[in-house]
Each structure stands twice: as C-alpha cells, then as structure tokens.
C-alpha cells in the first residue's frame, strides 16, 4: 500500500501511455521526488512500453499500471478495486484520456469565416472548422462523452474516499479552448444531436469541475481544468495526415503572433498541467481554465482564462452526470448480484 507515510506523493494519470499524458508523467517524475506514478491506460501493452521508457530516464521511480478504459464504465468500476489495493490516497488525479473523431475539414464554414472576417475565432477554438463523427458505446453512451468526460466523472466519484483529508488532493482535467458555449446544449450533455461532440465534452468538463471544486473543497479536494493548446499528437493526425502538419508547421509558428495556444509539442502543452501540481490548490482561482500559453519565441506561461458558465447552470449539468452515475452503479450492482447467484447455483 502506497501513501504519504511512505514518503512520496501519488499521481494517477489516465491516457498516460502517449502524447501529453506521457510527457506529463516524465515531467512529474522529474519535479516531484519520491513520486509514485500510476499509469491508467486502456491498453496494458502500450502502458508497459511507456513504463519502460519512463524508467530509462528515472530508473529508481515507482511506476504502477492500472488497466482502465474511460469509454467503458464497467472497466472504470472494475479498476477501482485495483487502484485502492495499491494506494491509500491519491494526491494528483489527472483526467487526461480523450478522443476526437473527425471526418474532415468543414471547408464551407472556413470559406464563410474568411468572408465574414471571422477566421481568428475559427482557428482559435476550432469550433465549426471540423466535421465530427461519433458513435454509441455498447453501454448506450455516446463514445466521445464517455471517454472524455463521464468515465472520468465516475472515477472521481469512486475515488473520493482516498482523496483529500488532512492533505490536499488535486483533480486536474484536460479541457480545451474548443469548449465554447455554441458547441454545448445543456439539455443534451452527450451531444447526441450536436455537431461538435468534442467541444461539448469540454464544456461538460468545465462545468463539472467547477461544481466538484465547490462541493469537495471542504474535504481538501480541489478540481481545476487546463488547456494544453494545439499539440501535434495522434489525435491531430486524425484531422490531417502527419506529413501535412509538417508542411504547415512553419505557418503555425508564425500564427503564434496572434494565437497563444499553439503549443505544438507535448512539453509546452503539458505546462499548465505540471504547473498546477506545484501550486497550493486553495489559493487558485475558481471559474477559470488554466491555459498553456506559448508566445512567438516559444516561451510558455500559464494563463487563467474565465470559463463562460455560471455555478447555477453548472450544478444542473452536474446533477445530470450524477444521476447517470447512480444509474450505472445500480445497474452493475444488480448484475454482480445475478452473477453471484449463478455461481452459487452452479
């Protein structure tokens, strides 16, 4: 069992086997001595590979692996017992796993924005620039919603008893500038009928985090959101082929003159996530998203950007999320009882 009594803090990162998650893991091991790191990934083989890579630069580090797929709520619930067997507390809970399914660029909206002289907003948020796709999971949830948001919400609810206490814990979400109000319908939090399921999930993250922070801070548990900016990873390769990104890379550097969220590489993108781990959480601003901001010279700072949601409307989203969570808990509790009865009969 690992806890603070053992001398080090514990950080759990979802989606830690690649991209920003892997860079974040490496940076946390460098900054926080005696850190016990838990890689929570859906693919154990890739997680093992990531662990080996991290141990090359940090050979004495404690790195555990938990198999967890945030798009599958049963997988999340099953992983909880494994996590609690290993850890009596968690200091940093990084909710980083995510997906964005894109069919192609929305050239029609692009041309309209050029004519309306509104291209800066389009490229700053990405809203309306992409044609998204989504599908339903076997559990009946929309896949992007489950992966980016709801699976993480379930994880928070289930781990609440090993967060906070006499020492503070931080819940740190990976959100995005794509989380604009026009992407979100509070009466359709899964974006079943929406055109931007990715942007919608980021709005759900921002609102949910706001309420979690309000409800849990009395337990010494704090929740904040971050925006890594545009980072070239496997996710962006789903928008354009990697060779196209390399062709337009010089222009991205130039665009930093007017757009400060063009992190491009995972190190700069992870800046806000790492920075939060070095702060006293009770002194941080609420109702903001912490952005990794990069200037034209490549220098990165962290900027708090106001989230455009009130606490009242955020509570309504939270209640929907919480009711959905209770439904899944009851569903799998009933299934467990049925399985036990079948086992006894056999």
């Amino acid at each position: 069992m690992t806890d603070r009594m053992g001398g080090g803090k514990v950080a759990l990162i979802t989606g830690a086997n690649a991209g920003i998650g892997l860079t974040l893991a490496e940076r946390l091991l460098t900054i926080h001595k005696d850190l016990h790191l838990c890689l929570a990934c859906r693919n154990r083989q890739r997680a093992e590979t990531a662990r080996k890579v991290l141990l090359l630069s940090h050979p004495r580090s404690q790195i555990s692996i938990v198999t967890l797929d945030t798009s599958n709520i049963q997988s999340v619930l099953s992983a909880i017992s494994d996590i609690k067997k290993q850890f009596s507390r968690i200091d940093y809970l990084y909710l980083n796993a995510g997906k964005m399914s894109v069919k192609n660029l929305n050239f029609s909206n692009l041309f309209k924005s050029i004519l309306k002289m509104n291209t800066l907003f389009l490229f700053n948020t990405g809203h309306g620039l992409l044609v998204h796709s989504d599908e339903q999971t076997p559990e009946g949830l929309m896949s992007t919603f489950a992966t980016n948001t709801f699976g993480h919400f379930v994880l928070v609810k289930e781990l609440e008893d090993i967060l906070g206490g006499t020492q503070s814990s931080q819940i740190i979400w990976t959100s995005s500038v794509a989380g604009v109000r026009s992407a979100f319908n509070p009466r359709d939090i899964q974006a079943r009928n929406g055109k931007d399921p990715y942007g919608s999930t980021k709005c759900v993250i921002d609102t949910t985090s706001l309420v979690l922070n309000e409800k849990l801070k009395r337990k010494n548990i704090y929740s904040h959101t971050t925006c890594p900016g545009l980072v070239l990873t496997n996710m962006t390769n789903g928008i354009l082929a990697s060779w196209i990104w390399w062709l337009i890379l010089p222009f991205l550097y130039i665009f930093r003159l007017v757009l400060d969220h063009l992190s491009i590489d995972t190190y700069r993108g992870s800046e806000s996530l790492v920075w939060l781990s070095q702060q006293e959480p009770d002194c941080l601003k609420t109702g903001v998203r912490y952005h990794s901001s990069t200037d034209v010279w490549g220098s990165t700072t962290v900027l708090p950007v106001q989230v455009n949601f009130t606490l009242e409307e955020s509570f309504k989203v939270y209640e929907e999320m919480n009711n959905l969570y209770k439904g899944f808990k009851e569903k799998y509790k009933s299934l467990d009882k049925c399985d036990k009865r079948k086992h006894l009969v056999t």
Side-chain angles (χ1 to χ4, degrees):
M1 177 93 49
T2 300
D3 56 23
R4 285 210 172 164
M5 298 304 291
K9 293 185 177 183
V10 176
L12 184 148
I13 307 172
T14 66
N17 62 280
I20 289 173
L22 182 57
T23 299
L24 169 64
E26 196 281 329
R27 292 187 67 180
L28 289 178
L29 289 173
T30 301
I31 294 170
H32 299 282
K33 305 304 179 184
D34 299 321
L35 180 75
H36 191 133
L37 185 65
C38 180
L39 312 179
C41 309
R42 64 179 180 177
N43 187 306
R44 190 170 188 89
Q45 186 175 354
R46 291 177 183 174
E48 292 284 2
T49 301
R51 182 176 182 274
K52 290 176 182 177
V53 169
L54 292 168
L55 287 174
L56 288 175
S57 55
H58 300 83
R60 296 184 179 180
S61 295
Q62 299 180 80
I63 305 175
S64 302
I65 293 172
V66 170
T67 305
L68 185 155
D69 181 357
T70 56
S71 72
N72 184 313
I73 306 309
Q74 190 170 22
S75 167
V76 176
L77 293 172
S78 298
I80 298 301
S81 59
D82 190 11
I83 294 170
K84 289 185 177 180
K85 283 177 184 176
Q86 295 187 59
F87 309 109
S88 63
R89 66 168 287 105
I90 292 174
D91 299 275
Y92 308 112
L93 179 58
Y94 280 97
L95 308 178
N96 171 73
K99 69 171 290 186
M100 177 173 61
S101 299
V102 176
K103 292 180 180 178
N104 49 54
L105 290 175
N106 192 328
F107 290 103
S108 175
N109 274 2
L110 177 59
F111 292 138
K112 288 177 183 177
S113 294
I114 292 172
L115 292 173
K116 293 179 180 179
M117 303 295 289
N118 195 32
T119 52
L120 193 60
F121 172 80
L122 193 70
F123 284 109
N124 190 45
T125 65
H127 181 57
L129 184 60
L130 307 172
V131 179
H132 293 263
S133 63
D134 207 359
E135 63 280 332
Q136 189 167 283
T137 70
E139 294 177 309
L141 297 169
M142 296 308 293
S143 181
T144 307
F145 168 78
T147 305
N148 296 0
T149 308
F150 186 63
H152 285 133
F153 181 79
V154 173
L155 189 63
V156 172
K157 297 292 288 186
E158 291 291 305
L159 294 180
E160 191 176 322
D161 59 336
I162 60 170
L163 298 172
T166 56
Q167 301 289 335
S168 62
S169 292
Q170 290 197 64
I171 303 166
I172 302 172
W173 301 75
T174 300
S175 186
S176 172
V177 291
V180 295
R181 289 193 72 101
S182 51
F184 180 59
N185 180 356
R187 293 177 296 280
D188 181 20
I189 64 170
Q190 296 195 46
R192 292 184 183 276
N193 304 307
K195 294 183 178 180
D196 186 358
Y198 179 79
S200 176
T201 62
K202 299 307 179 179
C203 291
V204 177
I205 284 173
D206 289 339
T207 53
T208 300
S209 176
L210 185 63
V211 176
L212 284 172
N213 190 74
E214 189 68 21
K215 291 174 71 70
L216 300 179
K217 61 185 180 183
R218 66 181 184 278
K219 296 182 179 181
N220 229 357
I221 305 170
Y222 300 88
S223 182
H224 296 96
T225 63
T226 66
C227 173
L230 176 64
V231 178
L232 301 186
T233 63
N234 290 337
M235 187 177 289
T236 53
N237 289 340
I239 303 172
L240 295 172
S242 57
W243 65 269
I244 298 178
W245 283 112
W246 284 110
L247 282 178
I248 65 176
L249 190 58
F251 298 100
L252 294 180
Y253 288 122
I254 295 171
F255 287 156
R256 279 177 173 170
L257 285 165
V258 290
L259 300 174
D260 66 355
H261 72 281
L262 299 178
S263 302
I264 301 176
D265 62 80
T266 56
Y267 189 91
R268 289 181 175 86
S270 64
E271 185 67 24
S272 54
L273 292 96
V274 174
W275 180 85
L276 278 174
S277 76
Q278 299 171 297
Q279 309 307 308
E280 291 295 334
D282 58 330
C283 297
L284 292 168
K285 293 180 179 180
T286 58
V288 300
R289 188 194 300 127
Y290 288 93
H291 286 227
S292 299
S293 175
T294 306
D295 66 21
V296 70
W297 309 112
S299 298
T300 306
T301 56
V302 177
L303 295 178
V305 177
Q306 193 69 37
V307 174
N308 196 20
F309 293 98
T310 66
L311 189 58
E312 182 182 2
E313 59 189 340
S314 296
F315 261 103
K316 292 178 181 178
V317 175
Y318 175 88
E319 285 304 316
E320 281 202 56
M321 295 278 283
N322 200 40
N323 289 335
L324 196 58
Y325 159 70
K326 290 177 180 177
F328 272 95
K329 279 285 286 183
E330 187 61 34
K331 172 186 175 181
Y332 286 117
K333 184 179 179 181
S334 300
L335 287 176
D336 286 342
K337 288 180 179 179
C338 289
D339 288 341
K340 288 177 182 178
R341 290 195 192 103
K342 288 179 182 178
H343 179 72
L344 289 172
V345 171
T346 304

